[in-house]
């Protein structure tokens, strides 16, 4: 009989989320948080103050090399982002860290045209895609108080005229190296936070502590989908 066992991948904060009562679902072989409670109640918490979501299941690819610009110009249907900015293309978020370094985050790997090009078609002597999906975790901090909470943990100038929507920066957050992307969710201020997986539980705790005064709460993917409408 053929072996039908499929390995399950888990977030760096999986144990913490389980203890918090997360209802889990499987997405692309990852266990993800569908909800903690009533999704409508989770939405109220986010809209009233701030919420925190684990998005570590997303595909994460580092793109490095002097031919990065050639790849982007050849394969994007829009101008390539400047260093320090990000663009959205389909379900992908392309984060341009430096001229020769970018991070591709994709929520739906099977539907990512950029990822297919990277892994099957684009050949170059100086273009190096590296799968960091398991090595990097990702959180989404969302709500009217998200910027205030984040400002407690990083010295990055988060003012709108300096760090506008779709700006990005590699900065310490609670003394942990992170990549932060200002990526609003419709009208709600939101920040993607990408970090090395081994720092996940510590960083989660730091964010939750920083958001206590605003009644921060965790939320799941069902609430996210409703907020995105």
């Amino acid at each position: 009989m053929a072996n039908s066992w499929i390995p399950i991948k888990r977030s760096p904060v999986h144990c913490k989320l389980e203890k918090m009562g997360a209802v889990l679902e499987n997405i692309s072989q990852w266990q993800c948080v569908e909800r903690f409670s009533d999704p409508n109640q989770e939405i109220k918490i986010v809209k009233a103050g701030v919420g925190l979501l684990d998005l570590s299941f997303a595909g994460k690819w580092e793109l490095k090399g002097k031919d990065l610009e050639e790849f982007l110009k050849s394969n994007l249907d829009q101008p390539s982002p400047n260093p320090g900015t990000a663009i959205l293309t389909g379900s992908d978020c392309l984060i341009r860290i430096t001229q020769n370094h970018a991070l591709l985050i994709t929520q739906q790997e099977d539907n990512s045209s950029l990822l297919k090009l990277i892994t099957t078609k684009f050949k170059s002597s100086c273009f190096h895609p590296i799968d960091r999906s398991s090595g990097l975790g990702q959180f989404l901090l969302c709500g009217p108080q998200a910027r205030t909470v984040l400002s407690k943990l990083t010295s990055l100038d988060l003012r709108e005229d300096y760090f506008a929507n779709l700006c990005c920066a590699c900065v310490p957050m609670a003394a942990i190296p992170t990549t932060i992307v200002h990526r609003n969710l419709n009208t709600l201020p939101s920040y993607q936070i990408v970090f090395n997986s081994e720092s996940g539980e510590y960083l989660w705790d730091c964010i939750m502590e920083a958001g206590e005064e605003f009644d921060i709460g965790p939320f799941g993917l069902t609430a996210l989908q409703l907020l995105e409408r």
Side-chain angles (χ1 to χ4, degrees):
M1 180 181 295
N3 187 352
S4 59
W5 178 76
I6 299 175
I8 294 296
K9 303 174 185 178
R10 291 176 171 172
S11 159
V13 290
H14 174 84
C15 292
K16 186 174 292 291
L17 299 176
E18 272 197 320
K19 290 178 181 177
M20 297 175 72
V23 176
L24 303 172
E25 63 176 332
N26 291 342
I27 298 178
S28 301
Q29 299 181 24
W30 284 81
Q31 283 197 322
C32 311
V33 178
E34 188 266 317
R35 58 184 170 85
F36 289 91
S37 60
D38 179 358
N40 291 311
Q41 183 59 34
E42 294 177 3
I43 289 172
K44 288 181 181 178
I45 291 172
V46 172
K47 288 185 174 181
V50 62
L52 185 60
L53 170 66
D54 176 52
L55 287 175
S56 295
F57 70 90
K60 296 170 285 289
W61 285 75
E62 279 197 278
L63 313 178
K64 293 184 175 182
K66 65 179 181 62
D67 291 339
L68 172 61
E69 181 66 17
E70 177 190 344
F71 168 79
L72 296 178
K73 285 184 175 179
S74 300
N75 295 292
L76 290 176
D77 57 3
Q78 56 184 301
S80 60
N82 294 320
T85 64
I87 60 170
L88 306 179
T89 170
S91 62
D92 298 339
C93 180
L94 181 65
I95 304 163
R96 191 74 175 272
I97 298 170
T98 67
Q99 184 68 19
N100 298 330
H101 184 194
L103 183 63
L104 174 65
I105 298 180
T106 177
Q107 306 292 354
Q108 301 175 4
E109 293 189 8
D110 294 340
N111 195 35
S112 172
S113 58
L114 275 179
L115 184 54
K116 291 174 184 175
L117 286 166
I118 289 168
T119 54
T120 62
K121 294 183 179 180
F122 189 81
K123 305 298 181 184
S124 165
S125 60
C126 195
F127 178 74
H128 310 287
I130 306 164
D131 187 355
R132 297 293 309 279
S133 299
S134 295
L136 295 175
Q138 181 185 204
F139 297 149
L140 180 70
L141 186 66
C142 179
Q145 299 297 336
R147 183 170 71 177
T148 304
V149 172
L150 193 57
S151 68
K152 293 182 178 184
L153 302 169
T154 178
S155 60
L156 178 65
D157 188 343
L158 297 168
R159 290 174 298 177
E160 189 70 28
D161 57 351
Y162 176 79
F163 200 65
N165 191 40
L166 294 180
C167 283
C168 66
C170 293
V171 293
M173 181 176 169
I176 298 299
T178 64
T179 299
I180 299 175
V181 184
H182 184 177
R183 182 180 173 183
N184 287 340
L185 186 59
N186 290 323
T187 59
L188 283 174
S190 301
Y191 298 90
Q192 286 177 247
I193 303 163
V194 183
F195 53 89
N196 288 326
S197 291
E198 63 268 21
S199 303
E201 290 200 1
Y202 168 75
L203 198 57
W204 178 277
D205 287 342
C206 289
I207 297 170
M208 293 297 285
E209 182 178 347
E212 277 184 0
E213 68 173 294
F214 304 111
D215 297 320
I216 190 171
F219 66 105
L221 293 174
T222 298
L224 175 65
Q225 291 164 1
L226 293 171
L227 287 166
E228 287 177 329
R229 292 179 180 175

